[in-house]
Amino acid sequence: KGLNGGFRADVASTRSMAELSDRTWGTQETAVYLGCTVGTLRVWVSKRKVPFLKVNRLTRFLKADLDAWLDRETGRGPSAGA
């Protein structure tokens, strides 16, 4: 424990954050992708209507999760035509 333990955790979480931010989108990019305002997206997040991740205090979005959510919401998923 002590400073070394805390420092190692910070370095590890910083590395994970960098890797995760390469694979995820922030609120602005996601709002553009979904065609809504940032404010609307924040409301959807607060009501848990859209899939999201919390990384520390940041709200992040995975494109694959958003695509699956869009398919379900629009009825265009794999089972839509069956």
Side-chain angles (χ1 to χ4, degrees):
K1 295 192 178 194
L3 291 178
N4 283 343
F7 179 73
R8 287 183 188 156
D10 289 344
V11 170
S13 66
T14 301
R15 189 173 122 212
S16 298
M17 286 271 297
E19 290 170 359
L20 190 60
S21 68
D22 288 342
R23 299 188 335 234
T24 62
W25 289 343
T27 306
Q28 182 66 40
E29 297 100 337
T30 303
V32 169
Y33 183 70
L34 296 177
C36 66
T37 66
V38 170
T40 295
L41 182 58
R42 287 186 178 139
V43 169
W44 290 348
V45 166
S46 72
K47 293 183 177 184
R48 302 193 181 282
K49 290 189 171 194
V50 64
F52 65 94
L53 305 169
K54 289 299 271 189
V55 180
N56 294 326
R57 292 171 38 183
L58 299 174
T59 302
R60 306 295 294 175
F61 303 87
L62 291 169
K63 182 181 182 297
D65 289 349
L66 293 170
D67 288 340
W69 175 77
L70 282 170
D71 287 344
R72 285 190 309 274
E73 291 297 308
T74 61
R76 296 183 186 182
S79 62

